[in-house]
Coordinates of all heavy atoms in Angstrom, one line a residue:
M1 N 22.2 8.4 7.2 CA 21.8 7.0 7.5 C 22.3 6.7 8.9 O 23.4 7.1 9.3 CB 22.5 6.1 6.5 CG 22.1 4.7 6.7 SD 22.8 3.5 5.5 CE 21.7 3.9 4.1
T2 N 21.5 5.9 9.6 CA 21.9 5.5 11.0 C 22.4 4.0 10.9 O 21.9 3.2 10.2 CB 20.6 5.5 11.9 OG1 20.1 6.8 11.9 CG2 21.0 5.1 13.3
E3 N 23.4 3.8 11.7 CA 24.0 2.5 11.7 C 23.7 1.9 13.1 O 23.9 2.5 14.1 CB 25.5 2.6 11.5 CG 26.2 1.2 11.6 CD 27.7 1.4 11.3 OE1 28.1 2.2 10.4 OE2 28.5 0.7 12.0
F4 N 23.3 0.6 13.1 CA 23.1 -0.1 14.4 C 24.2 -1.1 14.5 O 24.6 -1.8 13.5 CB 21.7 -0.8 14.3 CG 20.5 0.1 14.5 CD1 19.9 0.6 13.5 CD2 20.1 0.3 15.8 CE1 18.8 1.5 13.7 CE2 19.0 1.2 16.0 CZ 18.4 1.8 15.0
K5 N 24.6 -1.3 15.7 CA 25.6 -2.3 16.0 C 25.0 -3.4 16.9 O 24.3 -3.0 17.9 CB 26.8 -1.7 16.7 CG 27.6 -0.8 15.8 CD 28.9 -0.3 16.4 CE 29.6 0.6 15.5 NZ 30.9 1.0 16.1
I6 N 25.1 -4.6 16.5 CA 24.5 -5.7 17.4 C 25.6 -6.7 17.7 O 26.6 -6.8 16.9 CB 23.3 -6.4 16.7 CG1 23.7 -7.0 15.4 CG2 22.2 -5.4 16.5 CD1 22.7 -7.9 14.8
Q7 N 25.5 -7.3 18.8 CA 26.5 -8.3 19.2 C 25.9 -9.7 19.1 O 24.9 -9.9 19.6 CB 27.0 -8.0 20.6 CG 27.8 -6.7 20.7 CD 28.3 -6.5 22.1 OE1 27.9 -7.2 23.1 NE2 29.2 -5.5 22.3
L8 N 26.6 -10.5 18.4 CA 26.2 -11.9 18.2 C 27.4 -12.8 18.7 O 28.5 -12.5 18.5 CB 25.9 -12.2 16.8 CG 24.7 -11.4 16.2 CD1 24.7 -11.7 14.7 CD2 23.4 -11.7 16.8
E9 N 27.0 -13.9 19.2 CA 28.0 -14.9 19.6 C 28.8 -15.4 18.3 O 28.1 -15.6 17.3 CB 27.4 -16.1 20.2 CG 26.8 -15.8 21.6 CD 27.8 -15.5 22.7 OE1 28.9 -16.1 22.6 OE2 27.5 -14.8 23.6
D10 N 30.1 -15.5 18.4 CA 30.9 -15.9 17.3 C 30.4 -17.3 16.7 O 30.4 -17.5 15.5 CB 32.3 -16.0 17.6 CG 32.9 -14.6 17.9 OD1 32.4 -13.6 17.3 OD2 34.0 -14.5 18.6
K11 N 30.0 -18.1 17.7 CA 29.6 -19.5 17.3 C 28.3 -19.4 16.4 O 28.2 -20.2 15.4 CB 29.4 -20.3 18.5 CG 29.1 -21.8 18.2 CD 29.1 -22.6 19.5 CE 28.9 -24.1 19.1 NZ 29.0 -25.0 20.2
L12 N 27.4 -18.5 16.7 CA 26.2 -18.3 15.9 C 26.6 -17.9 14.5 O 26.0 -18.4 13.5 CB 25.3 -17.3 16.6 CG 24.0 -17.0 15.8 CD1 23.1 -18.2 15.8 CD2 23.3 -15.8 16.5
V13 N 27.4 -16.9 14.4 CA 27.8 -16.4 13.1 C 28.5 -17.5 12.3 O 28.3 -17.7 11.1 CB 28.8 -15.2 13.2 CG1 29.2 -14.7 11.9 CG2 28.0 -14.0 13.9
Q14 N 29.4 -18.3 13.0 CA 30.1 -19.4 12.3 C 29.1 -20.5 11.8 O 29.2 -21.0 10.7 CB 31.1 -20.0 13.2 CG 32.3 -19.1 13.5 CD 33.2 -19.6 14.6 OE1 32.9 -20.7 15.2 NE2 34.3 -18.9 14.8
T15 N 28.1 -20.7 12.6 CA 27.1 -21.8 12.3 C 26.2 -21.3 11.2 O 25.9 -22.1 10.2 CB 26.2 -22.1 13.6 OG1 27.1 -22.5 14.6 CG2 25.2 -23.2 13.3
I16 N 25.6 -20.1 11.3 CA 24.6 -19.7 10.3 C 25.3 -19.0 9.1 O 24.9 -19.2 8.0 CB 23.6 -18.7 11.0 CG1 22.9 -19.4 12.1 CG2 22.7 -18.1 9.9 CD1 22.0 -18.5 12.9
G17 N 26.3 -18.3 9.4 CA 27.0 -17.6 8.3 C 26.7 -16.1 8.3 O 25.6 -15.7 8.5
Y18 N 27.7 -15.3 8.1 CA 27.6 -13.8 8.1 C 26.5 -13.4 7.1 O 25.6 -12.6 7.4 CB 28.9 -13.2 7.8 CG 28.9 -11.7 7.9 CD1 29.0 -11.0 9.1 CD2 28.7 -10.9 6.7 CE1 29.0 -9.6 9.2 CE2 28.6 -9.5 6.8 CZ 28.8 -8.9 8.0 OH 28.7 -7.5 8.0
S19 N 26.7 -13.9 5.8 CA 25.8 -13.4 4.8 C 24.3 -13.8 5.0 O 23.4 -13.1 4.7 CB 26.2 -13.9 3.4 OG 26.2 -15.3 3.4
T20 N 24.1 -15.0 5.6 CA 22.8 -15.4 6.0 C 22.1 -14.5 7.0 O 21.0 -14.1 6.9 CB 22.8 -16.9 6.5 OG1 23.3 -17.7 5.5 CG2 21.4 -17.3 6.8
I21 N 22.9 -14.2 8.0 CA 22.4 -13.3 9.1 C 22.2 -11.9 8.5 O 21.1 -11.3 8.8 CB 23.5 -13.2 10.2 CG1 23.5 -14.5 10.9 CG2 23.1 -12.1 11.2 CD1 24.7 -14.6 11.9
E22 N 23.0 -11.4 7.6 CA 22.9 -10.1 7.0 C 21.6 -10.1 6.2 O 20.8 -9.1 6.2 CB 24.1 -9.8 6.2 CG 24.1 -8.4 5.6 CD 25.4 -8.1 4.9 OE1 25.9 -8.9 4.1 OE2 26.0 -7.0 5.2
K23 N 21.4 -11.1 5.4 CA 20.2 -11.2 4.6 C 18.9 -11.3 5.5 O 17.9 -10.6 5.2 CB 20.2 -12.5 3.7 CG 19.0 -12.6 2.7 CD 19.1 -13.8 1.8 CE 18.0 -14.0 0.9 NZ 16.7 -13.5 1.3
Y24 N 18.9 -12.1 6.5 CA 17.8 -12.2 7.5 C 17.5 -10.8 8.0 O 16.3 -10.4 8.1 CB 18.1 -13.2 8.6 CG 17.0 -13.2 9.6 CD1 15.9 -13.9 9.4 CD2 17.2 -12.5 10.8 CE1 14.9 -13.9 10.4 CE2 16.2 -12.6 11.8 CZ 15.0 -13.3 11.6 OH 14.0 -13.3 12.5
L25 N 18.5 -10.1 8.5 CA 18.2 -8.7 9.0 C 17.7 -7.8 8.0 O 16.7 -7.0 8.3 CB 19.5 -8.2 9.7 CG 20.0 -8.9 10.9 CD1 21.4 -8.4 11.3 CD2 19.0 -8.7 12.1
S26 N 18.2 -7.9 6.8 CA 17.7 -7.0 5.7 C 16.2 -7.3 5.4 O 15.4 -6.4 5.2 CB 18.5 -7.2 4.5 OG 18.1 -6.5 3.4
D27 N 15.9 -8.6 5.3 CA 14.5 -9.1 5.1 C 13.6 -8.6 6.2 O 12.5 -8.1 5.9 CB 14.4 -10.6 4.9 CG 15.1 -11.1 3.7 OD1 15.4 -10.3 2.8 OD2 15.3 -12.3 3.6
Y28 N 14.1 -8.7 7.4 CA 13.3 -8.2 8.6 C 13.0 -6.7 8.5 O 11.8 -6.3 8.7 CB 14.0 -8.6 9.9 CG 13.2 -8.3 11.1 CD1 12.1 -9.1 11.4 CD2 13.5 -7.2 11.9 CE1 11.3 -8.9 12.6 CE2 12.7 -7.0 13.0 CZ 11.6 -7.8 13.4 OH 10.9 -7.5 14.5
I29 N 14.0 -5.9 8.2 CA 13.8 -4.5 8.0 C 12.8 -4.2 6.9 O 11.9 -3.3 7.0 CB 15.1 -3.8 7.8 CG1 16.0 -3.9 9.0 CG2 14.9 -2.3 7.4 CD1 15.5 -3.3 10.2
N30 N 12.9 -4.9 5.8 CA 11.9 -4.7 4.7 C 10.5 -5.1 5.1 O 9.6 -4.4 4.7 CB 12.3 -5.6 3.5 CG 13.5 -5.0 2.8 OD1 13.8 -3.8 2.8 ND2 14.3 -5.8 2.1
Q31 N 10.3 -6.1 5.9 CA 9.0 -6.4 6.5 C 8.5 -5.3 7.3 O 7.3 -5.0 7.3 CB 9.1 -7.8 7.2 CG 9.2 -9.0 6.4 CD 9.4 -10.3 7.2 OE1 9.3 -10.2 8.4 NE2 9.6 -11.4 6.5
I32 N 9.3 -4.8 8.2 CA 8.9 -3.7 9.0 C 8.5 -2.5 8.2 O 7.4 -1.9 8.4 CB 10.1 -3.2 10.0 CG1 10.3 -4.3 11.0 CG2 9.7 -1.9 10.6 CD1 11.6 -4.1 11.8
L33 N 9.2 -2.2 7.1 CA 8.9 -1.0 6.2 C 7.5 -1.3 5.5 O 6.7 -0.4 5.4 CB 10.0 -0.8 5.2 CG 11.3 -0.3 5.8 CD1 12.4 -0.2 4.7 CD2 11.1 1.1 6.4
L34 N 7.3 -2.6 5.1 CA 6.0 -2.9 4.5 C 4.9 -2.8 5.5 O 3.8 -2.2 5.1 CB 6.1 -4.3 4.0 CG 4.9 -4.9 3.2 CD1 4.6 -4.0 2.0 CD2 5.1 -6.3 2.8
K35 N 5.1 -3.2 6.7 CA 4.0 -3.0 7.7 C 3.7 -1.5 8.0 O 2.5 -1.2 8.1 CB 4.4 -3.7 9.0 CG 4.3 -5.2 8.9 CD 4.7 -5.9 10.2 CE 4.7 -7.4 10.1 NZ 5.1 -8.1 11.4
I36 N 4.7 -0.7 8.0 CA 4.5 0.7 8.3 C 3.8 1.3 7.1 O 2.8 2.1 7.3 CB 5.9 1.4 8.5 CG1 6.5 1.0 9.8 CG2 5.7 2.9 8.4 CD1 7.9 1.5 10.0
S37 N 4.1 0.9 5.9 CA 3.4 1.4 4.7 C 2.0 1.0 4.7 O 1.1 1.8 4.3 CB 4.1 0.9 3.4 OG 5.4 1.4 3.3
A38 N 1.7 -0.3 5.1 CA 0.3 -0.8 5.1 C -0.5 0.0 6.1 O -1.6 0.3 5.9 CB 0.4 -2.3 5.4
Q39 N 0.1 0.2 7.3 CA -0.6 1.0 8.3 C -0.9 2.4 7.8 O -2.0 2.9 8.1 CB 0.2 1.1 9.6 CG 0.3 -0.3 10.3 CD 1.3 -0.2 11.5 OE1 2.1 0.7 11.6 NE2 1.2 -1.2 12.3
E40 N 0.0 3.0 7.1 CA -0.3 4.4 6.6 C -1.4 4.3 5.6 O -2.2 5.2 5.5 CB 1.0 4.9 6.0 CG 2.1 5.3 7.0 CD 3.4 5.8 6.4 OE1 3.5 5.7 5.1 OE2 4.3 6.1 7.1
A41 N -1.4 3.3 4.7 CA -2.4 3.2 3.7 C -3.8 3.0 4.3 O -4.8 3.6 3.9 CB -2.1 2.0 2.7
L42 N -3.8 2.1 5.4 CA -5.1 1.9 6.0 C -5.6 3.1 6.7 O -6.8 3.4 6.7 CB -4.9 0.7 7.1 CG -4.8 -0.7 6.5 CD1 -4.5 -1.7 7.6 CD2 -6.1 -1.0 5.8
S43 N -4.7 3.9 7.3 CA -5.2 5.1 8.0 C -5.7 6.1 7.0 O -6.6 6.9 7.2 CB -4.1 5.7 8.8 OG -3.0 6.2 8.1
D44 N -5.1 6.2 5.8 CA -5.5 7.0 4.7 C -6.9 6.6 4.2 O -7.7 7.5 3.8 CB -4.6 7.1 3.5 CG -3.3 7.8 3.8 OD1 -3.3 8.6 4.9 OD2 -2.3 7.7 3.1
L45 N -7.2 5.3 4.2 CA -8.5 4.8 3.7 C -9.7 5.4 4.5 O -10.8 5.6 4.0 CB -8.6 3.3 3.8 CG -7.9 2.6 2.6 CD1 -7.9 1.1 2.8 CD2 -8.5 3.0 1.3
K46 N -9.4 5.7 5.8 CA -10.5 6.3 6.6 C -11.0 7.6 6.1 O -12.2 8.0 6.3 CB -10.0 6.4 8.1 CG -9.7 5.1 8.7 CD -9.2 5.3 10.1 CE -8.8 3.9 10.7 NZ -8.2 4.1 12.0
S47 N -10.1 8.3 5.4 CA -10.5 9.7 5.0 C -11.0 9.7 3.5 O -11.4 10.7 3.0 CB -9.3 10.6 5.0 OG -8.3 10.2 4.2
I48 N -11.0 8.5 2.9 CA -11.5 8.4 1.5 C -12.9 7.8 1.5 O -13.2 6.8 2.1 CB -10.6 7.4 0.7 CG1 -9.2 8.0 0.7 CG2 -11.1 7.2 -0.7 CD1 -8.1 7.1 0.1
N49 N -13.8 8.5 0.8 CA -15.2 8.0 0.7 C -15.4 7.7 -0.8 O -15.8 8.5 -1.6 CB -16.1 9.1 1.1 CG -17.6 8.7 1.1 OD1 -17.9 7.5 0.7 ND2 -18.5 9.5 1.5
L50 N -15.2 6.4 -1.1 CA -15.3 6.0 -2.5 C -16.7 5.9 -3.0 O -17.0 6.0 -4.2 CB -14.6 4.6 -2.7 CG -13.1 4.6 -2.5 CD1 -12.6 3.2 -2.7 CD2 -12.4 5.5 -3.5
E51 N -17.7 5.7 -2.1 CA -19.1 5.6 -2.5 C -19.6 6.9 -3.2 O -20.4 6.9 -4.1 CB -19.9 5.3 -1.3 CG -19.7 4.0 -0.7 CD -20.1 2.9 -1.6 OE1 -21.1 3.0 -2.3 OE2 -19.4 1.8 -1.7
N52 N -19.0 8.0 -2.8 CA -19.4 9.3 -3.4 C -18.4 9.9 -4.4 O -18.5 11.0 -4.8 CB -19.7 10.3 -2.3 CG -20.9 9.9 -1.4 OD1 -21.9 9.4 -1.9 ND2 -20.8 10.1 -0.1
D53 N -17.4 9.1 -4.8 CA -16.4 9.5 -5.7 C -16.9 9.2 -7.1 O -16.9 8.0 -7.5 CB -15.1 8.9 -5.3 CG -13.9 9.5 -6.2 OD1 -14.1 9.7 -7.4 OD2 -12.8 9.6 -5.6
S54 N -17.2 10.2 -7.9 CA -17.7 9.9 -9.3 C -16.7 9.2 -10.1 O -17.0 8.3 -10.9 CB -18.1 11.2 -9.9 OG -17.0 12.1 -10.1
K55 N -15.4 9.5 -10.0 CA -14.3 8.9 -10.8 C -14.2 7.4 -10.4 O -14.1 6.5 -11.3 CB -13.0 9.6 -10.6 CG -12.9 10.9 -11.3 CD -11.5 11.5 -11.1 CE -11.5 12.9 -11.7 NZ -10.2 13.6 -11.4
W56 N -14.3 7.1 -9.2 CA -14.3 5.7 -8.7 C -15.5 5.0 -9.3 O -15.3 3.8 -9.7 CB -14.3 5.7 -7.2 CG -14.5 4.3 -6.6 CD1 -15.6 3.8 -6.1 CD2 -13.6 3.2 -6.6 NE1 -15.5 2.5 -5.7 CE2 -14.2 2.1 -6.0 CE3 -12.2 3.1 -7.0 CZ2 -13.6 0.9 -5.8 CZ3 -11.6 1.9 -6.8 CH2 -12.3 0.8 -6.2
N57 N -16.7 5.5 -9.2 CA -17.9 4.9 -9.7 C -17.8 4.6 -11.2 O -18.1 3.5 -11.7 CB -19.1 5.7 -9.4 CG -19.5 5.6 -7.9 OD1 -19.3 4.6 -7.3 ND2 -20.0 6.7 -7.4
I58 N -17.3 5.5 -12.0 CA -17.1 5.3 -13.4 C -16.1 4.2 -13.6 O -16.3 3.3 -14.5 CB -16.6 6.7 -14.1 CG1 -17.8 7.7 -14.0 CG2 -16.2 6.4 -15.5 CD1 -17.4 9.1 -14.4
A59 N -15.0 4.2 -12.9 CA -13.9 3.2 -13.1 C -14.5 1.8 -12.7 O -14.2 0.8 -13.4 CB -12.7 3.5 -12.3
R60 N -15.3 1.8 -11.6 CA -15.8 0.5 -11.2 C -16.8 -0.1 -12.3 O -16.8 -1.2 -12.6 CB -16.5 0.7 -9.9 CG -17.1 -0.6 -9.3 CD -17.8 -0.3 -8.0 NE -18.8 0.7 -8.2 CZ -19.7 1.0 -7.4 NH1 -19.8 0.5 -6.2 NH2 -20.6 1.9 -7.7
E61 N -17.7 0.8 -12.8 CA -18.6 0.4 -13.8 C -17.9 -0.1 -15.1 O -18.2 -1.1 -15.7 CB -19.6 1.5 -14.2 CG -20.6 1.8 -13.0 CD -21.4 3.0 -13.3 OE1 -21.5 3.5 -14.5 OE2 -22.0 3.5 -12.4
Q62 N -16.8 0.6 -15.5 CA -16.0 0.3 -16.7 C -15.4 -1.1 -16.4 O -15.3 -1.9 -17.3 CB -15.0 1.3 -17.0 CG -14.3 1.1 -18.2 CD -15.2 1.1 -19.5 OE1 -16.2 1.9 -19.5 NE2 -14.9 0.3 -20.5
A63 N -14.8 -1.3 -15.2 CA -14.1 -2.6 -14.9 C -15.2 -3.7 -15.0 O -14.8 -4.8 -15.5 CB -13.5 -2.5 -13.5
W64 N -16.4 -3.5 -14.5 CA -17.4 -4.5 -14.6 C -17.8 -4.8 -16.0 O -17.9 -6.0 -16.4 CB -18.6 -4.1 -13.8 CG -19.7 -5.2 -13.8 CD1 -20.8 -5.1 -14.5 CD2 -19.7 -6.5 -13.2 NE1 -21.5 -6.3 -14.4 CE2 -20.8 -7.1 -13.5 CE3 -18.8 -7.1 -12.3 CZ2 -21.1 -8.4 -13.1 CZ3 -19.0 -8.4 -11.9 CH2 -20.2 -9.0 -12.3
K65 N -17.9 -3.8 -16.8 CA -18.2 -4.0 -18.2 C -17.1 -4.8 -18.9 O -17.4 -5.7 -19.8 CB -18.4 -2.7 -19.0 CG -19.6 -2.0 -18.6 CD -19.7 -0.6 -19.3 CE -20.9 0.2 -18.9 NZ -20.9 1.5 -19.4
E66 N -15.9 -4.6 -18.6 CA -14.7 -5.2 -19.2 C -14.4 -6.6 -18.6 O -14.1 -7.5 -19.4 CB -13.5 -4.4 -19.1 CG -13.6 -3.1 -19.9 CD -12.3 -2.2 -19.7 OE1 -11.4 -2.6 -19.1 OE2 -12.4 -1.1 -20.2
Q67 N -14.6 -6.8 -17.4 CA -14.2 -8.0 -16.7 C -15.4 -8.8 -16.0 O -15.2 -9.9 -15.5 CB -13.2 -7.7 -15.6 CG -12.0 -7.0 -16.1 CD -11.1 -7.9 -17.0 OE1 -10.9 -9.1 -16.7 NE2 -10.6 -7.3 -18.0
G68 N -16.6 -8.3 -16.1 CA -17.7 -8.9 -15.4 C -18.0 -10.3 -15.9 O -18.5 -11.1 -15.1
Y69 N -17.8 -10.5 -17.1 CA -18.1 -11.8 -17.7 C -17.4 -13.0 -17.0 O -17.9 -14.1 -16.9 CB -17.8 -11.9 -19.2 CG -16.3 -11.9 -19.5 CD1 -15.6 -13.1 -19.6 CD2 -15.6 -10.7 -19.6 CE1 -14.3 -13.1 -19.9 CE2 -14.2 -10.7 -19.9 CZ -13.6 -11.9 -20.0 OH -12.2 -11.9 -20.2
K70 N -16.2 -12.7 -16.4 CA -15.5 -13.7 -15.7 C -16.3 -14.1 -14.4 O -16.2 -15.3 -14.0 CB -14.1 -13.2 -15.2 CG -13.2 -12.9 -16.4 CD -11.9 -12.3 -15.8 CE -10.9 -12.0 -16.9 NZ -9.7 -11.4 -16.4
Y71 N -17.0 -13.2 -13.8 CA -17.7 -13.5 -12.5 C -19.1 -13.8 -12.7 O -19.7 -14.4 -11.9 CB -17.5 -12.3 -11.6 CG -16.0 -11.9 -11.5 CD1 -15.5 -10.8 -12.2 CD2 -15.2 -12.6 -10.7 CE1 -14.2 -10.5 -12.1 CE2 -13.9 -12.3 -10.5 CZ -13.4 -11.3 -11.3 OH -12.0 -11.0 -11.1
H72 N -19.7 -13.4 -13.8 CA -21.1 -13.6 -14.1 C -21.4 -15.1 -14.1 O -22.5 -15.5 -13.6 CB -21.5 -12.9 -15.4 CG -23.0 -12.9 -15.7 ND1 -23.9 -13.2 -14.7 CD2 -23.7 -12.7 -16.8 CE1 -25.1 -13.1 -15.2 NE2 -25.0 -12.8 -16.5
K73 N -20.6 -15.9 -14.7 CA -20.8 -17.3 -14.7 C -20.9 -17.9 -13.3 O -21.8 -18.8 -13.1 CB -19.6 -18.0 -15.5 CG -19.5 -17.7 -16.9 CD -18.2 -18.3 -17.5 CE -18.0 -17.7 -18.9 NZ -16.7 -18.2 -19.5
S74 N -20.1 -17.5 -12.4 CA -20.1 -18.1 -11.1 C -21.3 -17.6 -10.3 O -21.8 -18.3 -9.4 CB -18.9 -17.8 -10.3 OG -18.7 -16.4 -10.1
I75 N -21.8 -16.4 -10.6 CA -23.0 -15.9 -9.9 C -24.3 -16.6 -10.4 O -25.1 -16.9 -9.6 CB -23.1 -14.3 -10.2 CG1 -22.0 -13.6 -9.5 CG2 -24.4 -13.8 -9.6 CD1 -21.9 -12.1 -9.9
V76 N -24.4 -16.9 -11.7 CA -25.5 -17.5 -12.2 C -25.6 -19.0 -11.8 O -26.7 -19.5 -11.5 CB -25.5 -17.4 -13.8 CG1 -26.7 -18.2 -14.4 CG2 -25.6 -16.0 -14.2
S77 N -24.5 -19.7 -11.7 CA -24.4 -21.1 -11.4 C -25.0 -21.4 -10.1 O -25.0 -20.8 -9.1 CB -23.0 -21.6 -11.4 OG -22.5 -21.4 -12.7

């Protein structure tokens, strides 16, 4: 594990609070990790061709049979 050291003004830490700053930094790192994961997923999508995937087509048809009634009303209206 890598440790980063940052310097903050004492007045800032006293005003905001150590735990609040720690939570903010942790949340920020989690957002970065989520963005990286999303970028990886999007890059993987380029290599996937769902139109020609028989399992995907079967699953899509089955989902429509099971859940299509929810959307059919709004399409007809």
